[in-house]
Amino acid sequence: MLNNFLKERAYRLSQISFRGSNLTHPLRNIRDLVYVGRITIGTPPQEFQVVFDTGSSDLWVPSDFCTSPACSTHVRFRHLQSSTFRPTNKTFRITYGSGRMKGVVAHDTVRIGDLVSTDQPFGLSTAEYGFKDMPFDGVLGLNYPNISSSGAIPIFDKLKNQGAISEPVFAFYFSKDKREGSVVMFGGVDHRYYKGELKWVPLIQAGGWIVHMDRISFERKVIACSGGCEALVDTGAPLIDGPKPLVDNIQKLIGATPRGSKYYVSCSAVSTLPSIIFTINSINYRLPARAYILKDSRGHCYTAFKEHRLSLPKEFWILGDVFLRRSRNDIAKKQIRDLVSTDQLFGLSIVEYGCEGAPFDGILDLNYSSISIFGAISIFDYLKNQGAISGPVFAFYLSKQQETKGCLEDSREGGSSGETQSGLDARFVTLSLSISMKRRIIVCSGGREALVDTGTSLIIGLRRLVNNIQKLISAMPRGSEHYVSCFVVSTLPSIIFTINGINYPVPVQAYILNLRGVP
């Protein structure tokens, strides 16, 4: 289907991306669980709040002769007040994941913003179950006509057939954590709501928004859909639903515990949880913990995974709003250029000693979170867990700029024993390290440990070993530093650091520094 669509409309693909308000319709985000939009039915128009649902095909709203408690809490269609209303004797039933309804089919004028579908078949519920507390009046189905429970042509197909939309395309943009900003688009995709190129995913077959999913992985291990499976892209479902054994395993991996119908985690643990990756059509869609962990009305955190009760021969998943809004960027509280870490724990100094004159305001630590003084998750680990970076890797390129004059040798003594300091073992790596000069080992003849420290300016070692290096390069102590004549710098040899069998020569231009005002 996708290939045929692209072939038939290859010359018009650029037109699918448009910018305009006439085909973009606002949706309201209700607690990150459901997105509702406004439509009108009848003449004069009667307004309803509906869910735009890709999991079903029928449009229905409550009728004024429905006596169910759910109908009494919602807006009901008053058919006698519409001059364009046309009834039928056809009845139908629909069962959803959250409830069920039965009703009759009727015809009337339906409007979605400026889009008008005349004589549109739709349902009027005569009984509803499970919808009493729902923040919407009805459902507007956007699935294919062949799965319509009422046998009516869906409004999207009717708008397309009437020529009301230029292309057979609709799209959604779902916001997170805020009521406004979400939209549904008909006839194209508003480029204000995405960056880069649109990624096209083929349907398994025409007749439903079901795609082939390659796998679901967690910390580089496949945890579900290992041999490939099917997934329904469902804008009417709030969560991610899957087979019970696989969902239970995900809850276990997350560390969630059951409480009622939900699985809960400590809100303080959210920042430590890794992303879950859904691979569809060989494209990885990364779902960070802040996306798959939601908060209930009391502020407690629960997971967005839920078992479905479908009896199917193949593994089947329902990808709801939690998955569909995955690419949303939240408001930044801490930002490194384009990387954003939300709700990042950090320190505010109230007293500082020895930092006067330092050319920086603070410190961003890149060591392991396990050695944090106050138990914070380091920003690098936080970005990794949130899925903001593709791989657990960082790197530096440090330039050398001569800003001072005078010669200062840059090895310093430090520490009183050969053992690592307590608490730093997590970042120390045991290396086959030796230091040599003029082909002779001068330090670490039996191998030593070394800390790679971007926050330290010089090379620091044990006093007796540093003193030996100072002697070999004829450096003389003056205050806290050791100096050499700038005239002999060109005659000094390189010092070679051998790490894991690889030689890293440090030339004299690197280990002799210039200090302004020193002869």
Side-chain angles (χ1 to χ4, degrees), residues 263-305:
Y263 278 73
Y264 284 83
V265 298
S266 170
C267 292
S268 61
V270 173
S271 61
T272 67
L273 293 173
S275 298
I276 296 177
I277 299 173
F278 296 75
T279 304
I280 301 174
N281 203 33
S282 300
I283 300 171
N284 291 333
Y285 296 90
R286 189 179 301 270
L287 196 69
R290 68 178 185 275
Y292 66 76
I293 300 296
L294 304 175
K295 284 188 177 181
D296 63 17
S297 58
R298 296 174 297 171
H300 298 159
C301 292
Y302 66 97
T303 75
F305 291 93

Side-chain angles (χ1 to χ4, degrees), residues 92-355:
F92 70 102
R93 298 171 181 263
I94 307 178
T95 299
Y96 300 91
S98 56
R100 55 193 175 90
M101 61 82 65
K102 61 180 181 179
V104 297
V105 178
H107 294 252
D108 212 327
T109 299
V110 179
R111 293 175 173 85
I112 308 172
D114 295 332
L115 297 175
V116 181
S117 177
T118 57
D119 199 37
Q120 172 66 46
F122 70 104
L124 286 171
S125 68
T126 55
E128 298 179 15
Y129 310 94
F131 296 109
K132 181 178 179 181
D133 299 319
M134 295 297 181
F136 53 84
D137 303 311
V139 175
L140 189 151
L142 288 170
N143 214 323
Y144 280 80
N146 59 290
I147 69 165
S148 169
S149 298
S150 66
I153 181 170
I155 187 169
F156 177 75
D157 294 85
K158 198 159 188 298
L159 288 169
K160 179 184 65 176
N161 296 340
Q162 290 176 342
I165 54 178
S166 58
E167 292 286 348
V169 175
F170 62 82
F172 286 86
Y173 175 81
F174 290 150
S175 67
K176 188 180 188 302
D177 296 330
K178 63 179 184 178
R179 194 174 179 87
E180 310 302 328
S182 303
V183 296
V184 59
M185 301 161 246
F186 291 101
V189 185
D190 191 331
H191 64 72
R192 292 173 296 182
Y193 293 96
Y194 73 94
K195 294 180 180 179
E197 296 295 324
L198 293 173
K199 295 181 175 66
W200 296 90
V201 178
L203 300 178
I204 289 179
Q205 62 181 16
W209 299 115
I210 299 175
V211 299
H212 176 82
M213 184 158 61
D214 303 327
R215 60 189 170 272
I216 302 173
S217 52
F218 181 89
E219 292 188 317
R220 300 184 180 181
K221 294 181 180 178
V222 177
I223 57 173
C225 194
S226 57
C229 60
E230 295 182 355
L232 169 65
V233 181
D234 189 353
T235 59
L239 308 178
I240 298 173
D241 299 358
K244 177 176 171 53
L246 299 175
V247 169
D248 287 347
N249 183 48
I250 292 176
Q251 308 286 22
K252 183 179 179 181
L253 290 171
I254 294 172
T257 55
R259 195 189 311 162
S261 60
K262 298 182 176 66
Y263 278 73
Y264 284 83
V265 298
S266 170
C267 292
S268 61
V270 173
S271 61
T272 67
L273 293 173
S275 298
I276 296 177
I277 299 173
F278 296 75
T279 304
I280 301 174
N281 203 33
S282 300
I283 300 171
N284 291 333
Y285 296 90
R286 189 179 301 270
L287 196 69
R290 68 178 185 275
Y292 66 76
I293 300 296
L294 304 175
K295 284 188 177 181
D296 63 17
S297 58
R298 296 174 297 171
H300 298 159
C301 292
Y302 66 97
T303 75
F305 291 93
K306 176 186 173 185
E307 64 179 85
H308 63 56
R309 298 180 181 180
L310 302 174
S311 298
L312 298 170
K314 296 181 180 180
E315 183 180 341
F316 187 82
W317 288 80
I318 299 173
L319 304 179
D321 298 342
V322 163
F323 173 81
L324 295 173
R325 64 169 171 258
R326 54 157 290 281
S327 60
R328 269 277 301 147
N329 284 330
D330 298 316
I331 297 174
K333 289 190 177 179
K334 195 168 186 181
Q335 184 167 348
I336 310 174
R337 288 291 179 96
D338 295 330
L339 293 177
V340 179
S341 178
T342 59
D343 199 31
Q344 172 70 44
L345 188 64
F346 68 103
L348 289 171
S349 67
I350 53 177
V351 180
E352 298 180 11
Y353 306 98
C355 299

Side-chain angles (χ1 to χ4, degrees), residues 48-59:
F48 298 89
Q49 299 294 325
V50 298
V51 175
F52 290 81
D53 178 27
T54 58
S56 64
S57 298
D58 294 282
L59 165 62

Side-chain angles (χ1 to χ4, degrees), residues 19-36:
R19 179 171 181 171
S21 59
N22 58 329
L23 299 181
T24 301
H25 309 281
L27 302 175
R28 286 188 300 120
N29 178 0
I30 311 296
R31 290 176 49 198
D32 285 345
L33 292 176
V34 64
Y35 294 81
V36 300

Side-chain angles (χ1 to χ4, degrees), residues 6 80 111 132 137 144 238 281 380 392 422 429 433 462 482:
L6 296 178
L80 295 177
R111 293 175 173 85
K132 181 178 179 181
D137 303 311
Y144 280 80
N281 203 33
F380 177 76
S422 175
V429 180
L433 169 66
L462 298 177
H482 282 69

